[in-house]
Amino acid sequence: MQPLVIPTHLDTEEGTVTLERAWFERIDDGLRRLSFEGHDEAGALRAGLVWFDDDARPARTTLTPYGRDKKLPALQGLLAGGELLVHRAGRRAVVRTTDGFTKALRPSKLAEAEARARAFQAVGGWLRTPHVLGASPEGELTVDVVPGTSLHQLGSGRDEAAWEAAWGAWATAWPEWVRTPGLGTDLPRYGVEHEEQTLTGWLLRVELARPAGLSHSSLRERFGGVMERLNALPDPRWCLSHRDLHDKQVLVTLPDARAGLIDSDTLALSDAALDLGNLLAHVRLREVQGSLDPSRADAAERLIRTVADELEIPDDALSAWCEAASLRLSCVYAFRPAGTAS
């Protein structure tokens, strides 16, 4: 089986699609099946599936009709006055509407997603979080807009003062948000054993799909080192955790320097080091990708470490969770089309 290079373009019955993201799903009749998202020749966002043979060539491709998905019954009705922003075939879609953002989910996934979204709303305060505007049995979940510009966007801009103010706003609010009291058992706990399951799942995807540029034996070695370090950590103090904290999830309004946070999908209770480790891994990734210059990356890392000190997070915990996130990101980006940096 030849290593798989995710192409930048796919030929379909409706013309060429420019790929932006892809996800390995499974081995299907001996072929490597991936779902993908990209834009067609008319500029419309499309989702589909592609099967690669042993020579890493597309053997079959299917493209879903624009804005339709049999497993996401709410989707079609959302597009009359909305803009399709995300569509992963059979999994989820996101539409920008006049009210905010609406997710089209599998109906069976709605209850859990709505519960997390309402919990996310409830813990707003130090950080602005989206308010739930409505939900429907068809799998439709709508939240309002959190104002601001992302740390990622500011990081690629030239306004140094705005970038510094935005990161400062996040650093001021984050420790207080993490310490939000009164959650009790309302949220699931995510510990080292769950991280092991997550990383094992990614290593299995790499083993089955064989994306180019990744050595499975090297990943296994990294995995062993990460788990050794995570398992050596003391039991955590359970804190509020976003679990996918990175520079695109934090929005800041200026000049009032008020920070907000989006995406409730993985809200949980966890070690406070998890989110900061994930954010640090993304800062280092942005430097490698060229969207954050080295001096800003260094400044962001220093600020993350200052926040870690305020939360009494040991260096070895921050480092271990950062390494775990970096390993996961290595796997995630192995399935992105060549040249994709987001």
Side-chain angles (χ1 to χ4, degrees), residues 267-307:
L267 191 67
L269 299 177
S270 190
D271 189 329
L274 184 156
D275 280 325
L276 295 186
N278 196 70
L279 180 59
L280 179 55
H282 277 85
V283 165
R284 292 173 176 175
L285 174 65
R286 302 306 183 212
E287 182 181 1
V288 172
Q289 292 173 333
S291 63
L292 192 64
D293 68 47
S295 63
R296 286 186 176 180
D298 288 344
E301 178 163 347
R302 288 195 299 271
L303 197 56
I304 291 168
R305 293 188 179 279
T306 298
V307 173

Side-chain angles (χ1 to χ4, degrees), residues 248-261:
K248 294 183 180 181
Q249 306 278 38
V250 179
L251 308 177
V252 181
T253 54
L254 297 170
D256 62 329
R258 179 80 187 277
L261 189 63

Side-chain angles (χ1 to χ4, degrees), residues 15 64 71 98 136-137 153 177 196 235 238 240 266 332:
T64 62
K71 294 184 177 180
T98 55
S136 76
Q153 186 174 344
W177 187 81
E196 183 174 15
D235 291 339
W238 297 103
L240 184 60
T266 53
V332 169

Side-chain angles (χ1 to χ4, degrees), residues 164-183:
E164 290 179 354
W167 270 90
W170 165 80
T172 298
W174 187 256
E176 302 299 334
W177 187 81
V178 167
R179 299 185 185 113
T180 300
L183 292 170

Side-chain angles (χ1 to χ4, degrees), residues 14 84 142 146 222 224 234 250 327:
E14 298 184 38
L84 184 61
T142 302
V146 174
R222 287 175 64 187
V250 179
L327 175 58

Side-chain angles (χ1 to χ4, degrees), residues 23-27 33-35 49 88-89 91 205:
W23 302 268
F24 174 75
E25 294 201 339
R26 64 174 183 261
I27 300 296
R33 170 176 154 169
L34 282 75
S35 61
L49 299 171
R88 183 175 177 184
R91 299 294 184 94
R205 293 182 184 96

Side-chain angles (χ1 to χ4, degrees), residues 15-137:
T16 301
V17 173
T18 302
L19 267 63
E20 295 178 2
R21 297 192 292 176
W23 302 268
F24 174 75
E25 294 201 339
R26 64 174 183 261
I27 300 296
D28 206 354
D29 294 329
L31 301 175
R32 290 169 278 185
R33 170 176 154 169
L34 282 75
S35 61
F36 65 84
E37 179 187 72
H39 286 86
D40 63 19
E41 294 174 2
L45 184 68
R46 305 297 294 272
L49 299 171
V50 58
W51 289 259
F52 290 94
D53 61 22
D54 284 351
D55 293 323
R57 295 176 301 193
R60 181 159 56 101
T61 304
T62 63
L63 198 60
T64 62
Y66 172 72
R68 297 186 182 184
D69 196 313
K70 291 186 292 185
K71 294 184 177 180
L72 307 176
L75 176 57
Q76 185 175 355
L78 296 173
L79 293 181
E83 175 189 6
L84 184 61
L85 302 177
V86 175
H87 188 186
R88 183 175 177 184
R91 299 294 184 94
R92 71 184 186 108
V94 179
V95 177
R96 174 70 184 262
T97 67
T98 55
D99 297 323
F101 296 96
T102 299
K103 292 181 180 179
L105 306 168
R106 294 182 184 181
S108 62
K109 301 292 186 181
L110 177 66
E112 180 181 355
E114 183 181 358
R116 273 201 167 108
R118 292 193 182 279
F120 199 40
Q121 173 181 330
V123 296
W126 283 93
L127 290 168
R128 290 184 175 123
T129 55
H131 286 211
V132 177
L133 300 180
S136 76

